[in-house]
């Protein structure tokens, strides 16, 4: 095996940042070379640490700005921070091509959410093929009360994927309550039936395996990708 990949974590003092650092330190193929906080200059820290990949886990609104800086420094970017807009994604696509550095935006690192989206899109294709038409699709997302954005970025992203696959307008319900970390249920309803695909997170550690997968996948990525679906694809085609 070659040298471990040099990784910087931006927002390393935050809940997700600390978790990511713990997982990276334990991974044999990764080396944590920088813990970057709001007191540091991002570009200077990336250069002095000779980072090859930077993982951003800061605050909504900063993800695109940090992605720009990371790519302009010649570093590959994994952006887990919420709230990137379509226009920002398009701009980052161009910048990733220009700098020849991969940029992976992951609204949700849970492997179960990727599997839920794959299953939901399959159901979306299966319904009309089975004569089930129309089907009503809805999403219920439940989170802890400290979550700032509502509806969640994951629910908006899931709805957009399903609408692109032909679902009518997907309704989204949001609940914020104590005792819940992050739940999302996608429901397909027709006639006298319904089908629910439920995903539950009971501990933040659930994000760890997806963070490592994203840090590996970005190393072979050209341009911009959103989500871990093609990282799954790479896993499935491995020997
Ligand atoms: N993709 C996913 O699967 C996933 C899962 C959960 C959360 N998220 C998202 O990840 C982000 C972080 O979540 P969290 O729960 O870890 O939030 P958090 O605990 O509030 O942590 C955010 C951290 O970012 C730091 N920060 C703010 N501005 C910064 C800057 N300019 N440079 C470097 N660090 C800066 C904050 O520092 P101060 O404390 O000094 O302000 C804080 O330590 C959010 O956008 C959240 O929505 C994504």
């Amino acid at each position: 095996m070659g040298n471990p990949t040099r990784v910087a974590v931006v927002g390393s003092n935050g809940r997700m940042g600390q978790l990511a650092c713990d997982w990276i330190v334990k991974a044999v193929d990764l080396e944590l070379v920088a813990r970057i906080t709001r007191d540091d200059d991002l570009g200077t820290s990336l250069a002095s640490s000779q980072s090859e990949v930077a993982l951003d886990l800061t605050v909504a609104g900063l993800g695109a700005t940090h992605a720009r800086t990371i790519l302009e420094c010649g570093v590959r970017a994994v952006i887990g921070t919420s709230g990137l807009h379509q226009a920002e994604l398009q701009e980052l696509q161009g910048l990733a091509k220009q700098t020849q550095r991969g940029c992976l935006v992951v609204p949700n690192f849970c492997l179960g959410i990727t599997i839920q989206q794959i299953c939901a899109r399959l159901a979306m294709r299966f319904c009309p093929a089975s004569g089930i038409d129309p089907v009503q699709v809805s999403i219920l997302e439940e989170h802890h009360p400290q979550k700032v954005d509502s509806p969640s970025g994951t629910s908006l992203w899931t709805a957009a994927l399903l609408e692109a696959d032909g679902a009518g307008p997907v309704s989204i319900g949001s609940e914020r309550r104590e005792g819940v970390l992050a739940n999302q249920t996608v429901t397909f309803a027709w006639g006298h039936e319904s089908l629910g695909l439920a995903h539950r997170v009971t501990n933040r550690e659930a994000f760890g395996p997806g963070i490592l997968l994203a840090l590996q996948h970005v190393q072979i990525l050209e341009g911009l990708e959103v989500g871990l679906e093609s990282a799954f694809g790479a896993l499935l085609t491995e020997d």
Side-chain angles (χ1 to χ4, degrees), residues 10-17 36-38 40 57-60 62 66 79-82 106-110 147 149 204 207:
V10 190
S12 57
N13 283 345
R15 286 165 294 193
M16 286 295 289
I36 301 176
T37 70
R38 68 155 74 238
D40 301 307
L57 291 162
T58 56
V59 287
L62 275 184
H66 282 180
I79 308 298
T81 301
S82 309
V106 187
N108 195 312
F109 285 109
C110 282
K147 184 166 178 64
D149 50 324
R204 235 168 244 281
F207 296 114

Side-chain angles (χ1 to χ4, degrees), residues 133-151:
D133 195 17
V135 58
Q136 284 185 323
V137 189
S138 60
I139 297 175
L140 173 64
E141 58 96 349
E142 304 160 288
H143 283 87
H144 55 87
Q146 290 76 38
K147 184 166 178 64
V148 187
D149 50 324
S150 176

Side-chain angles (χ1 to χ4, degrees), residues 103-176:
C103 180
L104 182 56
V105 176
V106 187
N108 195 312
F109 285 109
C110 282
L111 303 184
I113 280 288
T114 303
I115 297 169
Q116 184 192 58
Q117 290 176 339
I118 292 169
C119 292
R121 294 174 76 184
L122 185 64
M124 200 51 240
R125 265 185 274 156
F126 212 84
C127 285
S130 319
I132 298 166
D133 195 17
V135 58
Q136 284 185 323
V137 189
S138 60
I139 297 175
L140 173 64
E141 58 96 349
E142 304 160 288
H143 283 87
H144 55 87
Q146 290 76 38
K147 184 166 178 64
V148 187
D149 50 324
S150 176
S152 69
T154 301
S155 64
L156 292 168
W157 174 39
T158 307
L161 288 175
L162 294 172
E163 286 170 1
D165 277 1
V170 176
S171 61
I172 302 176
S174 301
E175 284 186 17
R176 298 288 172 265

Side-chain angles (χ1 to χ4, degrees), residues 24-209:
I24 292 164
V25 163
K26 284 187 238 152
V28 288
D29 54 345
L30 302 173
E31 183 182 357
L32 181 64
V33 293
R35 296 175 191 253
I36 301 176
T37 70
R38 68 155 74 238
D39 299 329
D40 301 307
D41 178 76
L42 178 55
T44 308
S45 301
L46 292 174
S48 63
S49 60
Q50 297 179 4
S51 297
E52 295 169 282
V53 176
L55 168 63
D56 190 76
L57 291 162
T58 56
V59 287
L62 275 184
T65 311
H66 282 180
R68 250 177 251 126
T69 305
I70 293 165
L71 292 171
E72 282 165 356
C73 288
V75 175
R76 292 172 181 272
V78 175
I79 308 298
T81 301
S82 309
L84 274 79
H85 303 297
Q86 198 54 41
E88 292 172 327
L89 293 174
Q90 274 169 4
E91 186 206 334
L92 292 175
Q93 165 85 289
L95 190 57
K97 278 193 187 146
Q98 189 190 321
T99 57
Q100 297 182 313
R101 293 291 181 275
C103 180
L104 182 56
V105 176
V106 187
N108 195 312
F109 285 109
C110 282
L111 303 184
I113 280 288
T114 303
I115 297 169
Q116 184 192 58
Q117 290 176 339
I118 292 169
C119 292
R121 294 174 76 184
L122 185 64
M124 200 51 240
R125 265 185 274 156
F126 212 84
C127 285
S130 319
I132 298 166
D133 195 17
V135 58
Q136 284 185 323
V137 189
S138 60
I139 297 175
L140 173 64
E141 58 96 349
E142 304 160 288
H143 283 87
H144 55 87
Q146 290 76 38
K147 184 166 178 64
V148 187
D149 50 324
S150 176
S152 69
T154 301
S155 64
L156 292 168
W157 174 39
T158 307
L161 288 175
L162 294 172
E163 286 170 1
D165 277 1
V170 176
S171 61
I172 302 176
S174 301
E175 284 186 17
R176 298 288 172 265
R177 57 192 161 88
E178 295 292 349
V180 172
L181 196 52
N183 299 339
Q184 173 166 289
T185 304
V186 183
T187 302
F188 298 81
W190 67 92
H192 301 284
E193 290 181 69
S194 68
L195 167 71
L197 298 171
H199 179 257
R200 306 264 176 270
V201 176
T202 52
N203 189 298
R204 235 168 244 281
E205 292 292 317
F207 296 114

